[in-house]
Amino acid sequence: MDPFDTPNDPRRAKFPELACFRDLGSSNRVERAISWSRREFLRTATGATAATALSAFSPLRAMAMRTGQKAVVVTFGGGTRDEETFMPDGQENIRHLLHEFIPQGTFFTQVVNRGILGHYVATASLVTGAYETFNNFAAVSPDNPTVFEYFRKDLHRPASDTWVVAPSNGFGLIGESSHFSHGAGMGAGVILPKRLLAAAMANESSGLDHLLRDNYESPVYAPALGVSDEQLQQMSQMLKLSVTDFTAHARSLRSPDELSVYIARQLMHQLAPSLLWITLHDIDVAHAGTYSLYVDAIKRSDRLCAEIWQMIQSEPEYAGKTTMFILPDFGRDSDTSAGGNGFQHHRTGDAFSRTTWMMVRGAGVRENVLVDRPVESTDLVPTLGAFFGFSPNLSRGKALPEVL
């Protein structure tokens, strides 16, 4: 018997929509039910309407859109559950996303990650458009070409035109792949703000341990990447930010994600990269098992997304010509998943931990629109390819016509 047909299963109360999808397999039923629940909640909360038909991809429109266009991608490393976000009890935690982003953008209610649910490998899958299969805690580059390599190689863009701001040591190699046809100097520059801060504070007691913790899990292997004094000075010159000012500002911040957004602000102001990828990671404090910290991190991520949008609008190189993509790398376990720990982890691999969402806001994007057809997280890279005009030929995803 399908477990969701059991009358006493608590998931039936949270997702009564499950009964509407009896003809589907158990996993697909849950994915559709989650999507349906999000759609109905957002229709009530924001008045958003469902997309009635796929937009037709127009080469002429895409060509016109490419001129001077920029994209900022924000991913959450450490997914969220609907109970704390897209349900009535969670809406207070995402006030900016709910009341500013969704009414002015397109929201995909069913984005499924069918890969490995580890933060580095899942984010690598997002940047390659193919499900990577390496050890999540290994210090390796992605096997498949990254979006940054496609972008630079096909469009002949300089190294300064694409950057990644990443949360921890494990992401240091995400900027370019080991693929023979790409890689080798054709990827994005990667900035690890925690490593910069650790180098800047190397000779003194910082009192900034809350900004320097590398991750919230206990990996079997945690690669250590140092930053030399020379590299620190080069970064200081590039961002036009003195080491003294950097450390002074860091002392005013509460979390590593705030530090990352501060660095992203400097990048946008000084270099104005056309493709900027920011990975937020505070939400993964959930692994510590303290619910209040997890909820605080959701609220902070919501606020930081709003700050990034404000940064976009305040910079002449970005205002009016930038599209922002926001999505978690995956979800979290439900409270009722066998072998799971609810909000704390993402270990079961069930539909609740795999079914997430994406919102897109910016130039030319339809406003207050919901897309509830199933898509995959690997569809982001082909969408960016159609947006900019490059061909991610080794990606496994499909471009999303609703935002093109």
Side-chain angles (χ1 to χ4, degrees):
M1 175 183 290
D2 188 320
F4 298 104
D5 285 330
T6 303
N8 295 327
D9 192 299
R11 281 168 287 193
R12 289 174 60 89
K14 284 186 179 178
F15 296 98
E17 301 84 3
L18 283 165
C20 300
F21 306 114
R22 292 182 183 277
D23 57 324
L24 300 177
S26 176
S27 180
N28 286 340
R29 288 179 66 188
V30 180
E31 292 168 4
R32 290 287 300 276
I34 293 170
S35 171
W36 183 288
S37 174
R38 289 172 183 161
R39 186 183 74 177
E40 294 308 300
F41 168 71
L42 291 173
R43 278 179 166 176
T44 301
T46 70
T49 58
T52 56
L54 301 185
S55 303
F57 174 71
S58 167
L60 291 178
R61 179 179 174 226
M63 184 66 70
M65 187 173 61
R66 273 179 226 143
T67 306
Q69 288 295 301
K70 296 181 183 293
V72 175
V73 179
V74 178
T75 63
F76 297 145
T80 61
R81 305 185 310 172
D82 283 7
E83 289 92 328
E84 290 80 41
T85 52
F86 297 107
M87 282 187 172
D89 289 346
Q91 59 186 315
E92 67 177 5
N93 302 325
I94 54 166
R95 294 181 179 181
H96 295 288
L97 296 180
L98 191 60
H99 299 299
E100 298 168 20
F101 280 80
I102 292 176
Q104 297 184 31
T106 295
F107 185 87
F108 292 82
T109 65
Q110 188 179 175
V111 181
V112 182
N113 183 330
R114 303 198 186 282
I116 299 173
L117 304 186
H119 296 301
Y120 177 44
V121 67
T123 304
S125 298
L126 289 176
V127 305
T128 62
Y131 291 121
E132 299 288 328
T133 58
F134 56 79
N135 180 338
N136 184 60
F137 298 110
V140 297
S141 297
D143 293 326
N144 296 281
T146 66
V147 63
F148 318 113
E149 294 159 82
Y150 292 128
F151 171 78
R152 287 191 56 203
K153 185 175 182 179
D154 285 11
L155 304 181
H156 307 288
R157 297 296 181 92
S160 60
D161 207 26
T162 181
W163 286 86
V164 179
V165 180
S168 63
N169 279 332
F171 286 71
L173 300 176
I174 203 168
E176 66 181 32
S177 72
S178 58
H179 198 276
F180 69 92
S181 68
H182 291 72
M186 285 304 298
V190 178
I191 298 180
L192 307 174
K194 294 178 186 178
R195 298 304 94 199
L196 290 179
L197 183 60
M201 307 298 296
N203 297 320
E204 57 182 289
S205 177
S206 68
L208 297 175
D209 290 347
H210 63 294
L211 300 182
L212 296 175
R213 180 170 180 170
D214 191 61
N215 64 72
Y216 297 104
E217 298 181 90
S218 298
V220 175
Y221 169 59
L225 298 176
V227 176
S228 68
D229 289 341
E230 182 180 1
Q231 290 173 316
L232 182 63
Q233 292 304 320
Q234 288 175 346
M235 194 65 63
S236 173
Q237 293 172 12
M238 181 186 72
L239 298 178
K240 294 182 171 55
L241 176 67
S242 73
V243 174
T244 300
D245 288 344
F246 173 50
T247 55
H249 185 79
R251 294 185 184 281
S252 70
L253 303 178
R254 294 178 53 204
S255 82
D257 282 352
E258 291 180 342
L259 185 65
S260 292
V261 171
Y262 177 64
I263 291 295
R265 183 191 301 272
Q266 301 302 123
L267 270 174
M268 292 170 66
H269 187 67
Q270 299 301 334
L271 298 181
S274 296
L275 176 55
L276 175 62
W277 191 294
I278 306 167
T279 294
L280 303 180
H281 210 62
D282 282 357
I283 292 175
D284 215 36
V285 72
H287 284 300
T290 304
Y291 185 78
S292 61
L293 294 179
Y294 161 63
V295 171
D296 285 347
I298 294 174
K299 294 178 179 178
R300 188 179 311 116
S301 298
D302 174 69
R303 171 176 59 81
L304 290 176
C305 283
E307 289 184 13
I308 293 169
W309 181 254
Q310 292 166 3
M311 287 156 48
I312 289 170
Q313 300 312 306
S314 67
E315 290 289 342
E317 291 289 334
Y318 288 87
K321 50 191 174 183
T322 301
T323 301
M324 186 173 175
F325 298 79
I326 306 173
L327 69 164
D329 51 9
F330 44 77
R332 306 197 83 83
D333 295 337
S334 74
D335 287 330
T336 56
S337 294
N341 295 89
F343 78 92
Q344 189 175 357
H345 296 306
H346 40 80
R347 294 173 177 169
T348 64
D350 66 3
F352 289 93
S353 58
R354 293 189 178 279
T355 309
T356 183
W357 50 265
M358 179 171 71
M359 60 179 69
V360 186
R361 179 185 186 184
V365 177
R366 291 187 295 171
E367 296 185 351
N368 216 24
V369 169
L370 303 176
V371 179
D372 62 359
R373 70 180 181 92
V375 303
E376 295 197 29
S377 55
T378 51
D379 294 336
L380 176 59
V381 168
T383 303
L384 290 169
F387 178 84
F388 280 113
F390 60 78
S391 178
N393 57 306
L394 296 176
S395 168
R396 307 294 192 272
K398 299 177 181 179
L400 301 173
E402 292 90 349
V403 293
L404 296 173

